Structure formats: C-alpha cells, structure tokens
Amino acid sequence: MKKTMLAIAAALALAGANPAWALTAKEIMEKAHLAVYYAGDDGKAHVHMEIVNPDGGKRIREFTILRKDVAEGGDQKFFVYFKKPADVRGMTFLVIKHPLGDDERKLFIPAIRMVKRIAPGDARTAFVGSDYTYEDISGRHPSKDNSELLGEETINGRKAWVIKNTPKTPQRDYAWRKTWVDQETFLVLRESYYDESGNEVKRFTMTKWGKVDGFWIGLAGKMENLATPHYTTVEFTDVKLNIGIPDTVFSERSLRNPPKRWVK
Amino acid sequence: MKKHAMLGLVLGAALAAAPAQAAELEVHGFAQGAASLRTDALALPQGPNKGAKNNWLAGENRLRLEVTGDSDDGSVGFVAKIDALYDFANPNTQANPASLDVRELWGEWRGDVFEVRAGRQMMTWGIADRLFISDIWPKNWAAFYAGLPLEYMKLPVDALKVLHYAGPVELEFVLAPRTEVDIVPGPDRWMLYAPPGVVGETRPAPTLRNGEAALRAHVPMGSWDLNLYAARTHWHQPDKGFNPATGRIIYPRLNVYALTVQGQILGGVLSLEAGYYDSVQDRSGNDPFIANSQQRWLVGYEHELLPDVTLAIQLYGERMLHYDRYLPAAQFAFAAGRGPKPLPRNRLFATANLRALFLNQTLTFSFFAMAIQHGGRMLNPELSYAVNDMLTVTAGAHIFTKGPDSWLLGMMKHDDNAYLWARWSY
C-alpha cells in the first residue's frame, strides 16, 4: 500500500515537473505540422499580403485560398484565386500537394484563357514574390528534418517548446532553424532561420492568432529577410474551416471559371 | 451590324436572366503604349508604301476598359474587354488611326453540368508554347513578331460555346459561324515581298455552311491530362491556298483531329501533342496550290533548372502526307513561273525558352529561340520589370538569322526589331 502511494507520488511529481517529457521533438513538430497546415478537413481564407522592400516600397497581393485535405498529414489540394494586383487579377492556381514528392501545379492565365501546367519547383522558391516560400505556405513535412528539443521559453506570454530543426537534405537558403511551438495550441509562434555560421538570416513571427470553428489558427504573421532587410506581412480574414468544399472545386473547370460561391 | 445585334441580344438575355438582386459589377482596365522599330532603316520593297523608309512595325496606344458582371449566385455573367486603339504608326496615312478593338464581349449561363457562353471570346487550346496543332483558333502573327504583349497574338472568335461536365470528363463544343483568319506581317510595314501573281484574297463567305465547329474532350487520367480534339475548320494561314485562275488567296476547308497528353516526369512537365490535318479540298494531294494533308507532332519538356529559372524545350514536326503526288504536280506548275519552289516533305521546328526571375520576381528575363529546318532562326530576348503593382515595362528584340528568302523565318531577316511597351493597370 505504502509502496503504491510512493509510486503515485513519484509519478505525480514527474508529471508536474515536466509534462512535456511525454512528447519528443519529432512528435511536437508532427503535431505542429498538423495544427498549422491541416486544421479541419478543409477551409478557406482571404489573404492580404504586403511585400515591403528596404526603401519602404510596398506591393500588395490579395487572394482567396481554398484547401482540402486528402489525408491528414498527407496530400492536400489548394485553389488560389488572385484579386490583386491588377496584372494578376482573375488568375487562378491549383496545387495538388504531395508532401514527400513533387507537387502538381496548374495556372490559369485569363488574358489568353489558357491553363498552363507549371514545372514542379524548388519548395524554397518565393511565393508570388514575397518573403514566404512555397513551403512556408503549404508546409514542410517533419520527416524532412532532424529535430532536437532545446528547451522551453515563454514568448508573447505563451509557453513554447524550442526545437532545432536541421534539414536532412541541405537547403540553399538556410542551414537549420529554431522553431518555437506553442505548448497549448501547437501553433508555430516564431521560427528563426540560421546560416552555416549561425547568423540569423530569416525570421517568422506570428502576430495574431485565434480560435476559428473550434481550431486554433494563426491569423497574421510576418516573414523577415534579415539580410536585405526585406519583409512580408500576411493577414488572414474571413477564415472558415470544415465547410464541405466539394472535390470538383479543385479542377480545371474551376481554374477557367472560379466557383463564385467559394472564392467570393 | 448583324453581329453586334446578336451580341446585344446575348448580353441582354444574360442580364435579363440575372436574378432581380442582380449583379456585382467590376470595372478595370489599363493604358498601354507600345512601339516596335525595325533596326535597319530600309526602304520597303513593295506594297502601298513602296520606297518609304518606315521603321515602325508597330506603334500604338491602347486604353482598355474591362467590365465583368456576375449574378450573386454566379449562374449568369458577362465580360466586356474593349480597347480604344490609336495606331500612331500606320504607314497608310489614309487609314483612320483610331478604332475600337473589341477583344471579348460575351454573356454566359452556368448550370451544374452545362455552361453556355455566347459572343466574342478568346480560345486557347493545346499545350504547346507558340506552336499549334490542336489550337485552330486565329492568330495575329504581325503582333507576335512585332513584340506586342503575347495576349495580342490571339485573335478573338465570335462563337457559341457549350461546356458539359460528365463526371471528371469535360466536353467543350464551339460553333463559330464566321471563319476568322490569321493576320500575318504584310508588305505595308515589313520588308516582305508579296508572292508573285497574288492580287487579293477571298475569305470563306460567312454562311452557316462555312461555319467552324470544334469539339474538345478533357479526360483526367490520374495526375496526367488527356485532351482529344476534332474540328471542322479552314486553313487560317494565307500560304495554304491559292486560286491560280483568279490570282486570289483562299482559305481551303480543313478537318483537324488531335490529341494532347501532359504530365509530370523526372521532376519536369512532359507535353505530347499529335494531329492529323485532313485537307478536305485536296485529299488526293495532287493540287500544288492547296496545302497537302499533314501529320503534326510535338514533344515538349519543361524543367526548373534553379529556383526561379525554368527551361522549356520543344521539338515539332510537320509531314506532308501525299508528297509523292504533290512534288511532280508542284514541279510542273511552278516551272511555269506561277509559284515558289516546291516545299519539302518534312519541316522540323525546335524551340527553347529560358525564363529567369530576379529582384523578388519583379524582373523577368526570357529568351525564346526558334529554329526551323530549311527556314531560318529567330531569337527573342526580353526583359520585363514590374515597377510597382500597377506599372509594368517590357523591352525586347527579335533577331532573325539565316534561312532562304522564300520561307518563314528567313524571309524576315531584314526585319530585326526592338520593341518597348509599358502598361499601367487599374
């Protein structure tokens, strides 16, 4: 009896000391990947992006993005409908994401009414000329990195795990990154990219988050290229999750004729 | 007039059908100035401006008004894209430099499995880059060689289009009552000789019998796309038919059957296109003045070499199907001095297109090169800069090298040009 009490006490003490010990760095990154990129089975958002160059010159990108998960943590479909600037207005973009293979991308160019398949590109290529890469927008599969738990920190009043992620295949624009994952929501609060010599070259900061349709999601963020210094802010509005977007929305038909009901 | 009445009816019907709460209207457009200058100041050898030292291959200002409207539920909509055009470099001083270029003007009804679009519209078929097999729709080659924005290479078509969605399969049927033909560089601005003996052209009369009908079926096959095409059309290029009795260019009847396959392989995009061109008015192949039936094929591959640097290459071939009958007939007919040298049985085209983006993708460099077997070469470097979200400036050049005078691109070797255009969008 006494022995049992001791065992329970010991267990409680351990649990109280650090409940996080239950999760490895890899598991945290997997949960973060799901929280950031797979909230709900589908969703839509209106995205406002401001790309700011060192002189303060500003370029605006506005689009509606629709997403549908094929498999949780696996394949996803994205449909993007551009509203601004004027030279890309009406352009649509369809991506079938294969997290461990090449994505399939199709672009509709309204001026010549042509659907064009785009050669799969480096995931670290800038998305619409911003400081966000394709990978930042659609997610990097955690199995592509070696993850190591560095400790815990409180940032913006939130308790976070700090994890060092080193890509298994070298990346052209950074050597490793440090990721702050919120302990309650599993959202990425901050991410710093370092070069080989340990200089911080790029930084993501989540600036706004909230609960939408029962899921915690990021609502605004900033990606800074610290060397230039060039940065992009992004804001999500009109976010909706689990809305039952039909598969047919992610088709060539939609590229040519964007479904009003979903992109409005 | 009749045509405009038809368009008016279509738009009226589309608007009338819109629910009472009606539509949201969007108004946009752009102002654009474009200039294309021949690099050599040579006197034109022929045409209405013979002897004139005119360097201007294109010089025009456009004001685009673009209005789109959709009913709240998206079931009815219309698009109007109209350019007020001022052609300030037309060597023909008799011509009115100001005109309206109606690029698109259509109304549309969208149901669950059917869509019907009527009016003037743009149509792009096929998967190739600046080479066409399944895309039978008319082109403006003069705009293309002068370096105007690529969208002006496409000419609109007045047509009725019906789309039907049968599960994953998409069927498109187009009926165009009037045959639109290609616009090609002419001796009024270019250093070109009109073929001897040509006094004019006769286009197919705009009767229902002469109408064009085309069908496309898109069949997704996993991550690959298959498209099948069939068209009852006409040859749209002026070198495909000639009536030696009248001295006039004609546009003979043509049926086209084609297919395209496209998908991803080895980290790039593979495009395959093949077609059979059935030259209806010369099925036997022994009329040297009407194009022979042809087989056409294309293999294309596009790959990202580096981030933001993409290379696309294409190999394209045309093969005359009744060359054994064409050749003796052509040798006999042209020996009398009534035509050019007989054409070769095969023509091979190769193209390469390198595109690179710089400065946060605001600066685009592209280099397009085309070489035609027996036919010369063309190089087209271009630099385009998005100054801000509204203003884009593009500069480029066309350099034609080698090749015999009688053939594209060789016949354009004195028309090397440099072009510049700027577009301010709102």
Side-chain angles (χ1 to χ4, degrees):
Chain A
M1 184 65 194
K2 210 173 174 183
K3 251 185 175 171
T4 319
M5 288 296 286
L6 266 174
I8 291 171
L12 281 172
L14 275 175
N18 197 344
W21 283 2
L23 289 175
T24 65
K26 192 172 171 52
E27 285 164 343
I28 294 166
M29 287 312 296
E30 280 166 359
K31 281 179 178 288
H33 183 235
L34 294 181
V36 175
Y37 297 103
Y38 291 84
D41 294 329
D42 63 16
K44 74 168 266 193
H46 177 74
V47 184
H48 177 89
M49 225 176 213
E50 295 191 2
I51 305 167
V52 185
N53 69 28
D55 316 325
K58 205 182 269 184
R59 291 170 198 265
I60 308 289
R61 303 282 178 273
E62 262 184 44
F63 50 92
T64 299
I65 186 163
L66 307 174
R67 163 182 62 87
K68 184 165 183 156
D69 301 346
V70 178
E72 187 72 357
D75 284 5
Q76 287 178 309
K77 297 175 179 181
F78 294 91
F79 182 83
V80 182
Y81 174 72
F82 287 94
K83 297 175 174 174
K84 276 181 190 169
D87 65 335
V88 298
R89 187 171 29 80
M91 209 177 256
T92 51
F93 188 42
L94 179 66
V95 181
I96 312 294
K97 183 182 113 181
H98 305 294
L100 298 173
D102 284 333
D103 294 347
E104 296 163 50
R105 304 178 188 172
K106 284 179 188 171
L107 185 71
F108 173 69
I109 305 157
I112 52 173
R113 301 209 71 79
M114 183 182 189
V115 173
K116 186 175 169 14
R117 207 182 256 263
I118 311 279
D122 188 304
R124 303 298 304 165
T125 306
F127 180 73
V128 297
S130 73
D131 294 283
Y132 286 85
T133 64
Y134 273 93
E135 198 170 71
D136 299 327
I137 298 293
S138 70
R140 175 176 173 84
H141 200 270
S143 69
K144 291 180 175 173
D145 298 317
N146 289 315
S147 304
E148 179 193 340
L149 185 58
L150 297 179
E152 292 179 42
E153 275 176 30
T154 301
I155 62 167
N156 290 337
R158 308 282 306 174
K159 266 193 111 179
W161 292 292
V162 187
I163 293 168
K164 179 179 179 179
N165 289 297
T166 311
K168 290 177 182 170
T169 340
Q171 302 291 297
R172 68 183 176 100
D173 59 337
Y174 72 98
W176 56 277
R177 61 189 204 277
K178 213 157 136 181
T179 311
W180 283 260
V181 179
D182 188 298
Q183 294 194 355
E184 185 197 350
T185 64
F186 286 95
L187 296 179
V188 172
L189 299 172
R190 186 176 149 182
E191 197 156 40
S192 287
Y193 297 73
Y194 296 88
D195 65 12
E196 304 259 319
S197 353
N199 302 313
E200 191 183 0
V201 288
K202 203 173 164 181
R203 182 192 299 154
F204 165 76
T205 315
M206 186 184 289
T207 52
K208 191 179 168 193
W209 57 89
K211 211 165 193 176
V212 173
D213 296 327
F215 296 89
W216 282 103
I217 59 160
L219 293 171
K222 183 179 184 183
M223 185 70 84
E224 293 166 273
N225 193 329
L226 300 169
T228 9
H230 195 278
Y231 71 90
T232 301
T233 60
V234 62
E235 193 178 356
F236 299 89
T237 52
D238 195 23
V239 183
K240 293 191 177 75
L241 297 171
N242 279 336
I243 45 175
I245 307 174
D247 268 326
T248 50
V249 165
F250 302 89
S251 66
E252 272 202 39
R253 176 185 190 175
S254 298
L255 282 171
R256 287 204 181 83
N257 226 336
K260 275 262 143 191
R261 186 183 157 204
W262 299 105
V263 299
K264 213 153 77 175
Chain B
M1 190 59 222
K2 206 169 151 194
K3 183 187 72 209
H4 287 110
M6 187 192 93
L7 285 175
L9 268 177
V10 166
L11 290 177
L15 286 175
Q21 74 268 32
E24 47 182 273
L25 276 184
E26 277 198 64
V27 180
H28 295 277
F30 56 73
Q32 176 182 289
S36 177
L37 284 165
R38 185 185 301 107
T39 50
D40 292 328
L42 300 169
L44 291 171
Q46 249 198 355
N49 312 303
K50 186 177 174 181
K53 279 197 177 173
N54 178 28
N55 283 31
W56 290 87
L57 297 178
E60 54 167 60
N61 294 323
R62 283 173 190 264
L63 257 182
R64 158 78 57 95
L65 177 69
E66 190 173 320
V67 185
T68 55
D70 287 291
S71 63
D72 270 353
D73 61 355
S75 65
V76 212
F78 77 91
V79 165
K81 291 184 188 177
I82 298 167
D83 289 4
L85 169 65
Y86 190 81
D87 181 0
F88 63 79
N90 193 341
N92 180 2
T93 47
Q94 305 295 304
N96 183 353
S99 62
L100 277 186
D101 183 5
V102 181
R103 300 289 296 170
E104 292 185 52
L105 186 62
W106 47 260
E108 184 171 62
W109 171 82
R110 308 170 190 125
D112 281 342
V113 294
F114 277 103
E115 285 171 14
V116 181
R117 177 178 295 180
R120 180 167 294 189
Q121 43 195 302
M122 287 293 164
M123 232 99 55
T124 301
W125 283 7
I127 49 179
D129 180 14
R130 292 168 247 207
L131 291 171
F132 305 96
I133 298 176
S134 55
D135 189 316
I136 55 160
W137 310 110
K139 319 283 184 304
N140 184 342
W141 296 100
F144 171 68
Y145 287 118
L148 294 184
L150 203 56
E151 65 178 281
Y152 291 100
M153 184 189 187
K154 304 284 310 177
L155 287 169
V157 184
D158 294 334
L160 176 76
K161 179 164 91 176
V162 179
L163 277 159
H164 175 52
Y165 302 94
V169 177
E170 181 182 312
L171 295 170
E172 180 176 348
F173 176 70
V174 181
L175 195 65
R178 196 170 57 155
T179 299
E180 297 289 345
V181 303
D182 289 8
I183 296 174
V184 296
D188 57 335
R189 298 192 196 204
W190 300 72
M191 296 291 295
L192 295 173
Y193 295 87
V198 175
V199 299
E201 63 164 16
T202 305
R203 296 187 182 195
T207 62
L208 203 58
R209 220 180 109 79
N210 270 335
E212 311 221 323
L215 187 68
R216 177 181 72 94
H218 172 231
V219 187
M221 303 183 38
S223 61
W224 288 68
D225 289 302
L226 168 71
N227 277 286
L228 302 166
Y229 307 84
R232 180 195 191 277
T233 179
H234 295 80
W235 292 97
H236 289 162
Q237 302 77 37
D239 61 340
K240 297 297 192 285
F242 178 66
N243 182 343
T246 61
R248 296 181 81 83
I249 286 167
I250 55 169
Y251 298 89
R253 273 272 294 111
L254 171 71
N255 293 332
V256 174
Y257 308 93
L259 68 88
T260 62
V261 177
Q262 195 176 48
Q264 271 173 218
I265 198 162
L266 301 170
V269 172
L270 178 70
S271 304
L272 304 171
E273 193 158 353
Y276 167 54
Y277 273 49
D278 170 21
S279 193
V280 178
Q281 286 170 239
D282 183 26
R283 280 212 167 111
S284 64
N286 53 22
D287 184 342
F289 297 106
I290 293 179
N292 219 292
S293 294
Q294 288 180 350
Q295 276 170 356
R296 294 184 175 192
W297 57 270
L298 175 131
V299 181
Y301 190 67
E302 181 173 327
H303 200 277
E304 192 185 67
L305 301 178
L306 295 164
D308 285 334
V309 180
T310 306
L311 177 68
I313 50 172
Q314 301 181 112
L315 198 60
Y316 162 89
E318 287 176 3
R319 183 180 172 82
M320 250 193 241
L321 286 176
H322 305 293
Y323 197 71
D324 51 339
R325 285 175 228 156
Y326 164 81
L327 187 63
Q331 279 167 340
F332 176 74
F334 298 164
R338 286 191 292 174
K341 271 189 286 184
L343 301 167
R345 183 198 299 255
N346 294 303
R347 274 214 296 189
L348 270 180
F349 292 57
T351 74
N353 191 3
L354 181 76
R355 263 171 64 85
L357 306 176
F358 303 96
L359 303 177
N360 292 85
Q361 302 178 353
T362 55
L363 182 69
T364 305
F365 170 74
S366 71
F367 191 92
F368 181 80
M370 177 187 273
I372 307 179
Q373 188 187 16
H374 320 293
R377 293 176 202 159
M378 180 186 81
L379 306 176
N380 174 211
E382 187 181 276
L383 210 50
S384 184
Y385 181 57
V387 180
N388 54 42
D389 280 344
M390 283 171 294
L391 180 65
T392 302
V393 181
T394 299
H398 287 102
I399 301 146
F400 302 96
T401 59
K402 298 192 177 170
D405 283 344
S406 58
W407 267 42
L408 208 114
L409 307 152
M411 66 167 69
M412 299 180 74
K413 64 188 166 199
H414 302 296
D415 282 313
D416 288 355
N417 60 69
Y419 58 88
L420 177 74
W421 55 267
R423 179 184 284 187
W424 183 84
S425 311
Y426 65 92

